[in-house]
């Protein structure tokens, strides 16, 4: 909202233009939401990987599938707080086990709730292996390896793009800094761009070019794995 107010003042010298620029606010807010959702998804992938690693360890020591998930829930509470997403999901699973809900149904509901590709694939293969008596430990270990490889690739990409993201943020602020500097240092020169149809048209074109460049920059530094 602060960016929207600054845009209205620097480009139009009118706070009433905030109302006109509200679509810009919602567009930028949507971009920020997508970035936050991506970070939350990566965080949950790491949590999910650790959870199925704990399940694999419990199965290796002779626990049944149901008891393996109970032990995993206890173990991960030592690592993550109760408010963490994986802690909440494991709590739901253990409560369902307590009332004797079938494991296949529990996992299917878990996959539906989390809506991540890795979790859905794991649930599908794990449930099929449990029904057919397949090697669940090998399946879990293979899933852990795949998720780990994907997380490592994402981290490598984030590391490579970290400098570019910083440059992008700096470059995004430069137009605002230039307009602000010109307004303070050369007010007579800048006054011709405000309060008349021609000036409003020029600034609107500049704002449109800036918004297009910003959108392109967001797309360039966002790589999905």
């Amino acid at each position: 909202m602060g960016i929207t107010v600054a845009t209205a003042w620097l480009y139009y010298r009118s706070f009433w233009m905030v109302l006109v620029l509200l679509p810009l606010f919602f567009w930028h807010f949507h971009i920020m939401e997508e970035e936050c959702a991506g970070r939350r998804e990566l965080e949950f992938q790491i949590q999910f990987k650790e959870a199925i690693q704990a399940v694999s360890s419990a199965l290796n020591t002779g626990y049944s599938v149901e008891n393996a998930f109970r032990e995993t829930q206890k173990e991960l509470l030592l690592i993550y707080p109760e408010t963490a997403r994986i802690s909440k999901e494991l709590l739901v699973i253990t409560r369902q086990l307590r009332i004797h809900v079938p494991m296949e149904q529990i996992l299917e509901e878990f996959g539906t709730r989390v809506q991540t590709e890795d979790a859905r694939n794991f649930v599908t293969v794990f449930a099929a292996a449990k029904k057919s008596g397949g090697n669940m430990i090998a399946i879990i270990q293979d899933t852990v390896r795949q998720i780990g490889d994907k997380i490592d690739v994402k981290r490598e990409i984030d590391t490579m793009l970290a400098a570019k993201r910083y440059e992008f943020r700096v470059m995004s602020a430069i137009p605002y800094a230039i307009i602000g500097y010109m307004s303070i240092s050369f007010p007579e020169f800048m006054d011709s761009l405000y309060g008349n149809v021609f000036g409003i048209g020029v600034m609107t074109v500049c704002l449109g070019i800036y918004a297009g460049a910003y959108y392109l920059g967001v797309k360039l530094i966002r790589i999905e794995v």
Side-chain angles (χ1 to χ4, degrees), residues 48-61 63-66 68-69 72 103 107 118-119 121-127 129-130 134-149:
F48 179 65
K49 174 188 171 184
E50 293 178 354
I52 58 178
Q53 278 179 326
V55 171
S56 176
S57 299
L59 291 172
N60 271 322
T61 57
Y63 284 98
S64 65
V65 174
E66 291 78 7
F69 275 95
T72 297
M103 195 68 213
L107 291 176
D118 293 324
N121 292 341
F122 167 74
V123 166
T124 301
V125 177
F126 189 85
K130 190 174 187 301
N135 189 342
M136 288 183 290
I137 296 176
I139 291 172
I140 291 175
Q141 290 173 344
D142 183 62
T143 304
V144 169
R145 179 184 58 78
Q146 291 179 8
I147 295 175
D149 291 344

Side-chain angles (χ1 to χ4, degrees), residues 132-191:
S132 61
N135 189 342
M136 288 183 290
I137 296 176
I139 291 172
I140 291 175
Q141 290 173 344
D142 183 62
T143 304
V144 169
R145 179 184 58 78
Q146 291 179 8
I147 295 175
D149 291 344
K150 184 180 290 188
I151 291 172
D152 291 339
V153 170
K154 283 187 176 181
R155 283 175 170 169
E156 288 177 9
I157 292 174
D158 284 341
T159 301
M160 290 188 292
L161 291 179
K164 298 299 180 184
R165 288 195 180 100
Y166 179 75
E167 291 174 8
F168 172 69
R169 292 190 181 99
V170 172
M171 293 298 294
S172 297
I174 283 178
Y176 287 82
I178 291 176
I179 296 174
Y181 171 77
M182 294 289 289
S183 298
I184 294 172
S185 303
F186 309 100
E188 300 85 1
F189 174 76
M190 294 296 291
D191 284 344

